[in-house]
Amino acid sequence: MTDKTILITGASRGIGAACALLAAARGYRVCINYRTDRDAALGVVRAIEEAGGSAFAVQADVAREDEVLRLFGEVDAHGGRLDALVNNAGILARQMRVEQMDAARIERIFATNVTGSFLCAREAVRRMSTRHGGSGGAIVNVSSRAAVLGAAGEYVDYAASKAALDVLTIGLAKEVAQEGIRVNGVRPGLIDTEMHASGGEPGRIERLKSSVPMGRGGEAEEVARAVLWLLSDEASYTTGSFIDCSGGR
């Protein structure tokens, strides 16, 4: 075990939960952030503790600045120094064309996927940066291949929010490169999580898997391994970079 602390947003299920479990196995003390599903978050904590790891759960909506401040205050109280952040919290809405979208939908998606990631990155930098007396650290932003492909006819607003997250990754990486912080991104493709159901098509992977050169959807743990590599010392000279975890799609 190490004394390193990691905060993973949206970690009660899917890719976030897989990252939490793998981070704990790699020796991190894990803060499991969740917005609504307390039971699922506590289930991840329990799984980590039963495996001999250390974790705690904190409810916070990253789209709200006051809740982000409270979240990081809880991390300070529980974990001491923050060593790593995974900006994983993300939402999408039901599939539709751009011509059908209203402002409320777009604002809701950008508030979580973009503003929330900016706020969490800001608070992490304030704690990690050697410029502020920190010891350095690493940030991984969980983007999407949709940021490159566009998600036409389905989630162009979600894709646009993830493209904004990619720009945050590149720009912030350059800002803090000499302050001991590396910032990278992972772009998952068709991954078997509950997110497809929240978009209205639980069987989306089955419909689209023929468009994936590897011929299948991915597993959340496969994404988590890419995230944890970018956080590790093995990626010590990698910043402002991306891993497309998408089976070639």
Side-chain angles (χ1 to χ4, degrees):
M1 292 290 289
T2 72
D3 61 353
K4 288 188 173 183
T5 298
I6 185 171
L7 165 60
I8 304 172
T9 64
S12 64
R13 63 180 186 172
I15 291 170
C19 288
L21 292 166
L22 188 57
R26 301 278 172 88
Y28 283 95
R29 178 188 302 108
V30 186
C31 175
I32 309 291
N33 160 251
Y34 68 99
R35 183 169 63 97
T36 56
D37 197 340
R38 180 173 182 268
D39 289 344
L42 292 179
V44 178
V45 170
R46 189 161 54 249
I48 288 171
E49 291 178 342
E50 288 174 355
S54 175
F56 58 98
V58 180
Q59 187 282 327
D61 182 350
V62 298
R64 295 185 52 180
E65 187 169 22
D66 59 331
E67 296 197 19
V68 170
L69 292 173
R70 177 173 56 77
L71 167 62
F72 277 82
E74 291 280 347
V75 172
D76 294 340
H78 278 84
R81 189 182 81 190
L82 179 66
D83 300 278
L85 166 68
V86 178
N87 268 323
N88 171 73
I91 61 170
L92 51 70
R94 292 186 69 85
Q95 295 173 349
M96 64 176 61
R97 289 164 56 96
V98 170
E99 67 201 46
Q100 299 171 291
M101 296 177 184
D102 59 20
R105 168 190 165 120
I106 298 164
E107 289 167 359
R108 185 168 64 250
I109 287 169
F110 271 69
T112 296
N113 299 4
V114 182
T115 303
S117 295
F118 264 84
L119 294 174
C120 289
R122 181 193 74 191
E123 292 304 307
V125 168
R126 288 176 176 178
R127 287 158 174 80
M128 294 175 181
S129 172
T130 55
R131 187 165 171 252
H132 298 297
S135 302
I139 297 171
V140 172
N141 295 321
V142 179
S143 177
S144 171
R145 276 295 287 167
V148 179
L149 299 173
E154 297 183 332
Y155 319 111
V156 174
D157 49 353
Y158 171 81
S161 75
K162 292 299 189 177
L165 186 59
D166 286 356
V167 175
L168 168 63
T169 301
I170 296 165
L172 182 60
K174 293 176 180 178
E175 279 190 3
V176 299
Q178 295 189 35
E179 299 169 25
I181 305 173
R182 296 182 302 103
V183 186
N184 292 288
V186 172
R187 297 191 191 107
L190 293 168
I191 308 300
D192 187 12
T193 71
E194 297 172 29
M195 183 166 266
H196 302 289
S198 69
E201 189 185 358
R204 184 168 177 262
I205 290 177
E206 188 64 27
R207 174 172 64 87
L208 294 175
K209 70 179 184 181
S210 63
S211 68
V212 180
M214 289 183 71
R216 65 175 179 86
E219 299 297 327
E221 187 178 349
E222 293 179 297
V223 180
R225 287 197 288 264
V227 171
L228 267 293
W229 182 81
L230 286 170
L231 293 174
S232 76
D233 290 340
E234 292 185 352
S236 57
Y237 197 53
T238 302
T239 196
S241 187
F242 299 89
I243 295 177
D244 287 344
C245 191
S246 60
R249 185 170 185 260

